Every structure is written in structure tokens, then in C-alpha cells.
Amino acid sequence: MSTPLLYKAIRSLSILIAVGLAGCAGPQPIKLTDWSIGLKTEWIQIKKFKLLLLEQSAKNNRNDAIHIYIEGDGTPWIKRFLISRNPTPQYPLALELMKQDSQLSFYLGRPCYYQESDFYKTLGHSTNTSPCNSHYWTDARYSSDVVDLMKNAIEEKIKNLPSDQQTLPIILIGHSGGGTLAMLIAQQLQTVNGVITVAANMDIDAWTSHKGFSSLNKSVNIATTIPLRKIPQVHFSGSRDEVVPPKINQPFLKKIGQSLTVIEGFDHNCCWLNKWTKLLRSAEQQLKNQH
């Protein structure tokens, strides 16, 4: 083979290898520093875990509630049968929704999210003693352990707030799997005064069955949890949502005397951000009406 042809062959092989490696790397999680500009960043220690907490001050002199946002499932799987090493989302919709909120707001990270493989080592640990394993973002993503960690993180933050803020009503707001967790946390945390969900997969057995996914057998299904603590709640869904179709949650919500507000033309991610200020104002009023 001549030198030019050999060079072209080597170059083509190099490109194929690079593309293959990029494919194996899977989708890239966001860089937290790029998305948290202007927000106070804190890592809350709960047991052996550190959970991310981003804080946004109240705007327009609003200070009559605390809103805590919880993100969806992020990237638990790269593809079928291939678990992601880092479940951090590629697009944090719940974080973007929070930025439009005028109340004192917090964005609570889920266990092991927003953490690279060497995260604990970069904090000054002599070794990378991460307590994380893939169960926390796959079959145990809604487990009692995850709920307990997030509940304790909320309690830890609230008790360290100024005294005039510690007694404010707490509203949990979650997108997708974050809404699932918001409902579960509200059952355990008595100081939660309301829940707002957006495109949440609340009946996880019905959801995994509909999607043909493996059962989340280490998770808690709130749809089969009895009894449930009665709490004001508002649930939004998109008419075009194919990830969590509205029909998934309607039987459960009917059983507990709640309704599902289906927004025409919206899907799982679109177009919540564009209309969030108006939707949130409506949800806040609905929560007040339920007290």
C-alpha cells in the first residue's frame, strides 16, 4: 500500500475509533457551574452522602413560602442494558423552572447526582470513598433510603435558616421522577404543606408496565402505599407526553380524590418553561384553596 493510501486508512480507522469511543461514553451530563450562576451552592452531608442544594433568594419582596424543586431521573441508562456511570441530567428542567420562581427557592439534588466518579476525592478525602452505586438511580431511585436522605437534607437546611424563614410553608415541586420523590417525601416530612408535580410518574408499576421497563423493585410505589397523608397537591401533565402519558396517573389520582390538569400541546419537557410563571401562580392558588 502506498504511503498516501496508508495514511488515509490510518486516519479513517482513527476516526472510527474516536466515534466508537464517543458512543460508548454516552450522553454528557451538564456542568453544574454553567447552570448555577447566581445561585448559592451548598453540599449537605447526610450520613455518608453529600446532596447538592442550590439556593435562590426571594424576588419582588415575596417571602411567604419555601419552594423546593426536585429534578427528574436524569440519565440512569445510556441505552437498554447499559447503566450510566453518572445519572446527572443533560438538561435540568426543574432547575430552569426554579429560576423563574419568585419565592425563596431551593433545588435539591438527588443522591449521587451532579457527582463525577472522583467527586469525594476532590473534596479532600484521602481516597474516593463514594457511597454511591447504580441502584440509587436505577431500581432503587424511589427507595425509602433515597427518600430518607432527601428528607433529612431538607430538615437540615430548614433548621439552619433564619428564624423568620423556618416557619414558612414548604412546597415541594418535582418534574418527572422528581415529582414521584416529592410525593414520597411529603408522606414522611410532616412540615411539607403542599406538592406540585409536572409530568410525574407516580404509579411506577403502571409506568414500567406501560413502557416495558424492568420493575423498580427496590423503590416505593406511592400508588400502593396505604394510608396516605392528606396534603394539598396539584398535578400537571402534557397531552402529548409519551414518556408519562396522562392515563398512567389518572386512576391513582382519582382514588385519592385528586385531579390531573392536562395541558394541551405540552409533552414531557415542552413547553413547561415558557408557561411556568402562569402555571405556578395557578397551582399556588389551588393549594391555598385546598387548605
Side-chain angles (χ1 to χ4, degrees):
M1 183 181 292
S2 65
T3 300
L5 289 176
L6 179 60
Y7 171 76
K8 287 182 179 180
I10 293 173
R11 185 172 182 273
S12 297
L13 181 59
S14 298
I15 291 172
L16 287 172
I17 291 172
V19 171
L21 289 175
C24 290
Q28 295 301 305
I30 68 166
K31 287 186 177 180
L32 181 60
T33 52
D34 294 338
W35 293 79
S36 59
I37 296 172
L39 305 174
K40 180 182 176 182
T41 302
E42 181 178 356
W43 292 95
I44 297 184
Q45 178 87 42
I46 303 294
K47 299 180 180 177
K48 294 181 178 181
F49 294 81
K50 285 186 177 290
L51 275 65
L52 170 69
L53 193 79
L54 301 177
E55 178 177 346
Q56 176 176 257
S57 301
K59 307 171 187 174
N60 305 323
N61 297 318
R62 291 200 70 187
N63 197 20
D64 53 7
I66 293 174
H67 289 174
I68 300 176
Y69 285 75
I70 304 173
E71 197 61 74
D73 293 343
T75 312
W77 299 83
I78 294 176
K79 58 183 180 180
R80 195 171 180 86
F81 306 121
L82 183 58
I83 298 173
S84 174
R85 293 182 180 180
N86 185 345
T88 298
Q90 300 171 67
Y91 176 67
L93 178 58
L95 177 55
E96 292 299 278
L97 295 178
M98 186 188 80
K99 292 176 182 178
Q100 295 196 11
D101 201 327
S102 57
Q103 294 282 15
L104 171 62
S105 302
F106 297 94
Y107 178 84
L108 177 61
R110 295 163 61 159
C112 308
Y113 284 61
Y114 297 100
Q115 298 173 9
E116 299 289 344
S117 58
D118 61 348
F119 171 77
Y120 284 86
K121 192 172 183 179
T122 62
L123 295 179
H125 295 205
S126 57
T127 58
N128 184 35
T129 55
S130 172
C132 294
N133 66 64
S134 60
H135 289 294
Y136 289 103
W137 57 89
T138 55
D139 56 346
R141 67 183 79 172
Y142 314 126
S143 65
S144 56
D145 286 344
V146 168
V147 170
D148 192 54
L149 287 167
M150 298 182 76
K151 176 184 78 74
N152 289 343
I154 294 172
E155 291 176 321
E156 182 69 19
K157 183 58 185 179
I158 296 301
K159 77 178 185 181
N160 288 304
L161 289 175
S163 56
D164 62 324
Q165 295 178 346
Q166 291 182 16
T167 56
L168 291 174
I170 297 173
I171 309 299
L172 301 184
I173 303 172
H175 171 245
S176 192
T180 313
L181 285 168
M183 288 287 286
L184 290 168
I185 294 168
Q187 293 301 310
Q188 303 299 322
L189 189 57
Q190 299 298 313
T191 52
V192 170
N193 299 88
V195 174
I196 301 171
T197 72
V198 177
N201 48 323
M202 285 176 285
D203 188 340
I204 61 173
D205 292 339
W207 179 67
T208 53
S209 176
H210 173 79
K211 300 295 290 185
F213 295 157
S214 299
S215 174
L216 304 180
N217 54 13
K218 290 185 172 63
S219 293
V220 178
N221 187 3
I222 195 167
T224 58
T225 300
I226 298 174
L228 290 176
R229 184 169 81 91
K230 290 186 177 180
I231 185 172
Q233 50 195 276
V234 175
H235 305 284
F236 293 115
S237 181
S239 65
R240 297 183 179 179
D241 191 342
E242 296 182 359
V243 179
V244 186
K247 66 180 182 180
I248 295 294
N249 293 319
Q250 285 169 335
F252 163 62
L253 292 176
K254 182 179 180 180
K255 183 176 70 173
I256 63 172
Q258 292 290 333
S259 60
L260 182 66
T261 301
V262 180
I263 310 298
E264 190 63 36
F266 283 30
D267 61 27
H268 198 64
N269 294 309
C270 176
C271 304
W272 302 105
L273 190 59
N274 297 338
K275 302 293 185 180
W276 184 240
T277 300
K278 182 178 179 180
L279 289 171
L280 179 58
R281 191 182 308 121
S282 170
E284 288 178 299
Q285 186 57 54
Q286 291 180 61
L287 292 178
K288 289 178 182 178
N289 292 342
Q290 292 182 43
H291 275 289

